[in-house]
Amino acid sequence: MLNLRDLTPEDGPVVLPMAEAFYHSDAVDHPVNPAVLERSFRAAACPDEPLLRGLLIQWDGEAAGYLYITQCYSAEVGGRCVLLDEVYLKPEFRGRGIGTQILAWLERSYPAARRFRLEVTQANRGAARLYRSAGYEFLHYEQMVLDKIK
């Protein structure tokens, strides 16, 4: 059975190896410094950080993955946008319908949202299939970034 709970700082030894696996998978197109992963985990596990919410995904009481959510206002849809910034399931938990349940939970948990957004790489075909089956569509924009991280 699926359970999602907010991260705590004590979850680091469980979540950080999963974040490392996520960033070495076909879900990501570029490497990320481990110090950034740790900083992001600390923010996601901090209840005082208003911009990032981290959740531990549990299946039958076992840590199955993690989820990072952030929100912003989207002028394009005239309301709140919920960004599923990272979602990771350990390989042994994939194909059980957990992803579908997570996406349904997301919509129930953020009823004021006018848009749900996520990113998917072309190589991550299984995830793209899941998102399409849940009603997500590709929105073709080129992204530009100016990273100021060290």
Side-chain angles (χ1 to χ4, degrees):
M1 183 168 139
L2 178 66
N3 181 52
L4 297 168
R5 72 156 173 81
D6 288 301
L7 292 178
T8 67
E10 292 76 28
D11 291 319
V14 173
V15 174
L16 286 168
M18 290 189 281
E20 189 72 31
F22 175 79
Y23 278 95
H24 286 90
S25 74
D26 62 4
V28 181
D29 282 337
H30 58 88
V32 173
N33 185 319
V36 172
L37 300 182
E38 187 161 333
R39 186 168 61 233
S40 294
F41 167 77
R42 284 194 313 271
C46 178
D48 295 331
E49 172 52 68
L51 298 178
L52 183 62
R53 181 180 183 193
L55 296 123
L56 184 66
I57 302 166
Q58 297 174 308
W59 185 256
D60 290 337
E62 190 175 343
Y66 74 96
L67 176 65
Y68 287 167
I69 301 167
T70 188
Q71 298 181 64
C72 65
Y73 189 94
S74 172
E76 188 172 55
V77 296
R80 188 170 300 226
C81 176
V82 175
L83 171 64
L84 182 54
D85 192 44
E86 292 181 18
V87 60
Y88 176 79
L89 283 175
K90 293 178 181 177
E92 62 268 28
F93 291 96
R94 297 174 192 165
R96 298 184 187 191
I98 297 171
T100 301
Q101 290 181 50
I102 290 168
L103 295 174
W105 172 88
L106 192 65
E107 289 188 50
R108 286 192 311 273
S109 298
Y110 295 89
R114 292 195 173 260
R115 172 175 279 167
F116 292 90
R117 185 175 181 276
L118 51 81
E119 296 173 348
V120 63
T121 62
Q122 290 183 1
N124 199 354
R125 292 189 174 131
R129 251 190 327 274
L130 165 67
Y131 303 143
R132 279 185 179 233
S133 72
Y136 286 72
E137 299 175 355
F138 283 100
L139 181 62
H140 295 282
Y141 283 109
E142 294 292 328
Q143 289 194 27
M144 297 176 69
V145 299
L146 173 61
D147 287 333
K148 292 193 170 194
I149 57 175
K150 299 290 177 222

